[in-house]
Coordinates of all heavy atoms in Angstrom, one line a residue:
H63 N 32.2 27.9 5.7 CA 33.4 27.4 5.0 C 34.4 28.5 4.9 O 35.5 28.3 4.3 CB 33.1 26.8 3.6 CG 32.2 25.6 3.7 ND1 32.7 24.3 3.5 CD2 30.9 25.4 3.9 CE1 31.8 23.4 3.7 NE2 30.6 24.1 3.9
N91 N 5.6 8.9 7.2 CA 5.6 7.5 7.0 C 5.7 6.7 8.4 O 5.6 5.5 8.5 CB 6.6 7.0 6.0 CG 8.1 7.2 6.4 OD1 8.4 7.0 7.6 ND2 8.9 7.6 5.5
C110 N 28.5 31.6 12.1 CA 28.8 30.3 11.5 C 30.1 29.8 12.1 O 30.9 30.6 12.6 CB 29.1 30.5 10.0 SG 27.8 31.4 9.0
A140 N 31.4 13.3 15.6 CA 32.5 13.3 16.7 C 32.5 14.5 17.5 O 32.9 14.5 18.7 CB 33.8 13.1 16.0
F142 N 31.1 18.2 19.4 CA 30.0 18.8 20.2 C 29.1 19.6 19.3 O 29.6 20.6 18.7 CB 30.6 19.6 21.3 CG 29.7 20.4 22.2 CD1 28.4 19.9 22.4 CD2 30.1 21.5 22.8 CE1 27.5 20.6 23.2 CE2 29.2 22.2 23.6 CZ 27.9 21.8 23.8
H173 N 33.8 2.5 24.8 CA 33.4 1.1 25.0 C 32.0 1.0 24.5 O 31.1 1.8 24.9 CB 33.5 0.7 26.5 CG 34.8 0.7 27.1 ND1 35.8 -0.1 26.7 CD2 35.4 1.6 28.0 CE1 36.9 0.1 27.4 NE2 36.7 1.2 28.1
D230 N 24.7 2.1 14.3 CA 23.5 2.4 13.4 C 22.4 1.4 13.6 O 21.2 1.7 13.7 CB 24.0 2.2 11.9 CG 25.0 3.3 11.5 OD1 25.1 4.4 12.2 OD2 25.8 3.0 10.6
R231 N 22.8 0.1 13.8 CA 21.8 -1.0 14.0 C 21.0 -0.7 15.3 O 19.8 -0.9 15.4 CB 22.5 -2.3 14.0 CG 21.6 -3.5 13.8 CD 22.4 -4.8 13.7 NE 23.5 -4.6 12.8 CZ 24.6 -5.3 12.8 NH1 24.8 -6.3 13.7 NH2 25.5 -5.2 11.8
E265 N 32.1 4.6 2.1 CA 31.9 3.3 2.6 C 31.2 3.4 4.0 O 30.3 2.6 4.2 CB 33.3 2.6 2.8 CG 33.3 1.2 3.3 CD 34.7 0.8 3.6 OE1 35.7 1.0 2.9 OE2 34.9 0.1 4.7

Side-chain angles (χ1 to χ4, degrees):
H63 294 261
N91 69 39
C110 307
F142 173 30
H173 295 292
D230 298 334
R231 198 173 310 155
E265 182 189 317

